[in-house]
Amino acid sequence: MADHDRPHVLMMSEITVDGKLTLRRGASSKILMKYMAPETEILLHRTRAECDAIMVGANTIRIDNSFLTVRLVEGKSPLRVIPSNRGDIPPDANILGPDARTVIAVSGAAPAEKVARLRESGVDVVVAGEDQVDLPELMRILKADYNVSRMMIEGGPTLNWSMLNHRLVDEIRLIHLPFIVGGADTPSLVGGMHIETENDMIRLSLKRHYMCGSNLVTEWDVLYDGRLRG
């Protein structure tokens, strides 16, 4: 897929000094997010308002039950995009509410009754992929059918890895929290398969760093084959 056929993608996340997203496996990231400085919370919502869409994984929705809306600044809430291979979205999920438009991306293997229930809740359901959601195809659909030019992801480690592995992330913005959590199985920024050699590392270029309230924020370009997108 050509780069111009997909949105520009920013990955944004809060992480501890040791790169963790939560206190432990299965814990909500909201526990750590409450330690962000007020200025950094505003930065997060301002970034949402600057994007056409925001994407998180279905597991993040099950654990955090996020709204994914703009609340602390003026601006329109972005299109909410949730990839879910089988359409396993809890019926009481906040992203099924009317406060912003939502797209649930499912695979062709999603049970018809789950797809029907989601559509009855008022969200859009798009099929991308056969057995699991085809993220490059989903990106093409978002650009072509929903006019999404700029998207942010606030994903967990699985979605973050999948997007990076498909070379679909252009920038990363990290909010650094001054804590160490530890834990061998505590979710970190990126999960996925173990790499074989240093040649498989995804390379970044630091373009900016600054203090936002009491939090350090770093901004990175993602380099694929040593080059920026485009």
Side-chain angles (χ1 to χ4, degrees):
M1 180 177 61
D3 280 345
H4 60 75
D5 291 334
R6 69 167 177 87
H8 184 95
V9 175
L10 165 70
M11 177 189 296
M12 187 168 182
S13 183
E14 83 289 341
I15 60 169
T16 62
V17 170
D18 54 338
K20 306 299 185 181
L21 300 181
T22 65
L23 290 182
R24 61 189 178 280
R25 182 172 296 280
S28 172
S29 62
K30 292 180 179 179
I31 298 172
L32 291 181
M33 287 179 71
K34 69 184 181 183
Y35 291 100
M36 292 194 310
E39 296 90 340
T40 316
E41 289 187 81
I42 291 172
L43 173 65
L44 176 64
H45 282 259
R46 188 169 71 243
T47 305
R48 289 180 179 179
E50 292 169 350
C51 292
D52 304 309
I54 180 172
M55 184 165 71
V56 305
N59 193 52
T60 297
I61 293 300
R62 285 190 287 270
I63 294 174
D64 290 353
N65 197 16
S66 307
F67 284 94
L68 304 179
T69 53
V70 173
R71 299 186 296 279
L72 300 182
V73 299
E74 292 293 327
K76 181 182 178 181
S77 292
L79 176 74
R80 301 178 291 202
V81 181
I82 316 297
S84 176
N85 293 334
R86 297 181 58 81
D88 293 321
I89 304 296
D92 60 347
N94 289 322
I95 51 98
L96 300 180
D99 42 3
R101 190 178 182 187
T102 300
V103 170
I104 308 295
V106 301
S107 71
E113 63 273 15
K114 290 186 178 181
V115 172
R117 176 179 61 81
L118 288 170
R119 287 188 168 132
E120 288 169 3
S121 72
V123 303
D124 291 9
V125 179
V126 300
V127 179
E130 296 182 5
D131 299 318
Q132 59 186 15
V133 175
D134 183 326
L135 289 172
E137 173 65 9
L138 174 58
M139 295 301 103
R140 187 197 66 76
I141 292 171
L142 292 173
K143 182 69 178 288
D145 298 347
Y146 291 90
N147 200 31
V148 174
S149 295
R150 182 173 178 84
M151 185 177 77
M152 68 181 295
I153 57 175
E154 292 184 28
T158 302
L159 178 62
N160 288 347
W161 163 252
S162 296
M163 290 289 289
L164 284 164
N165 192 41
H166 285 293
R167 299 187 169 199
L168 298 173
V169 179
D170 303 293
E171 303 177 74
I172 297 176
R173 181 178 296 163
L174 299 177
I175 300 165
H176 298 267
L177 303 177
F179 305 104
I180 290 176
V181 171
D185 65 344
T186 303
S188 58
L189 179 66
V190 179
M193 300 295 291
H194 292 286
I195 63 175
E196 296 299 324
T197 73
E198 63 269 25
N199 294 327
D200 297 325
M201 295 189 297
I202 296 171
R203 286 165 167 75
L204 308 177
S205 174
L206 179 66
K207 61 180 181 179
R208 191 176 176 214
H209 64 281
Y210 51 94
M211 294 300 295
C212 187
S214 58
N215 295 127
L216 172 66
V217 177
T218 58
E219 297 183 359
W220 308 80
D221 284 320
V222 183
L223 307 181
Y224 301 111
D225 300 324
R227 299 189 304 271
L228 292 174
R229 177 185 177 188

